[in-house]
Structures are given as C-alpha cells and as structure tokens.
Amino acid sequence: MTPPPGPEEPLTAARFTLSADGEPIAGVVRISALELSGGGIGVTVAPVTITRLVGGDGIFHDWAHDVMGRGGDRTARNLLLTVHDSAGAPAAAWELLGVMPVAYSPACQLDALSPGVVTETLTLSVTEVRPVPRRSTP
C-alpha cells in the first residue's frame, strides 16, 4: 500500500461535519460520495444525499418545503463538508456550491422488528464542488 500524501495518518470516514452559512447541521450521520464526471463538455456533479438523525429542529423539512413547495425561497445555498483528523482538527474540506433540495424523506422506513434509529434524508443538486485549500502552520 502506498502511504497517504503528507505526513499524517489516513483519515477515517466517521469524523466529519457539515455546515450551512457557518452553522453546523446537527445530527448528520451519512453523506453520499461526492462524484464529479465529465466528458469534454464540462463537469457534472451527481446529487448528494445527506442522512441525519430525526430531532427537534425542522431544518431539512423547512429547507425542502421552501425550495420544492409553492412560492418558497429558491435561493441556492452553499455547504461546507469538513473531515477531521483523529485529534478533531480539520484535515480536509470541500465547498458544495449552488446547493438545492430535490427530494426529502422525513423518516426512514419504520420497522418494529428492526430497532434502529429514525433518520431523515435530503437529496441535493450541487452545481460545483471545490476543495478548500489547507492552511499551513507557520
């Protein structure tokens, strides 16, 4: 196996945060892969699905309803996805630009025979994904 670029140890997929407008989005447990493709006519970004624990706020519902409902605010937003190292410091980050909800599921499949946590999902169209340059320490 070739070591990762740089002196740090490999990052794990379990240490990440997602924020909108500088505020963390609580309860996010899964984000689908960021996928870019192109064939000489430009870059296409695949939709991204975010899964989070159902909780006391309605951030996903409100955002989806505003964008997909009648007469709502259809302003695209930008998100910041940050992966943290084992000490909790930001190690890699990407800006998701021009983000708009395209599908919302207010609750996962509920099953009395499978006692799992209740989650909600929001699928987003993304115009552009841009890596955030790492800041060097003096």
Side-chain angles (χ1 to χ4, degrees):
M1 176 170 114
T2 304
E8 56 283 319
E9 62 186 73
L11 299 173
T12 67
R15 297 176 183 260
F16 65 90
T17 55
L18 184 68
S19 57
D21 306 322
E23 293 295 320
I25 300 173
V28 175
V29 295
R30 185 177 302 119
I31 299 174
S32 64
L34 303 179
E35 297 180 28
L36 285 70
S37 61
I41 57 171
V43 175
T44 301
V45 182
V48 171
T49 299
I50 302 168
T51 303
R52 68 177 240 161
L53 303 173
V54 170
D57 70 34
I59 186 172
F60 277 13
H61 173 272
D62 296 344
W63 188 18
H65 189 268
D66 283 349
V67 170
M68 297 184 303
R70 290 185 231 157
D73 179 8
R74 297 190 192 318
T75 304
R77 298 174 77 177
N78 298 329
L79 301 178
L80 179 65
L81 172 60
T82 305
V83 177
H84 303 271
D85 64 19
S86 59
W94 296 268
E95 291 178 300
L96 284 64
L97 306 173
V99 174
M100 297 283 281
V102 294
Y104 170 64
S105 175
C108 61
Q109 178 175 326
L110 303 174
D111 182 349
L113 299 177
S114 175
V117 296
V118 179
T119 60
E120 62 182 340
T121 59
L122 185 65
T123 301
L124 306 166
S125 67
V126 180
T127 303
E128 183 180 352
V129 173
R130 185 180 307 161
V132 176
R134 291 185 68 181
R135 296 181 186 172
S136 58
T137 15

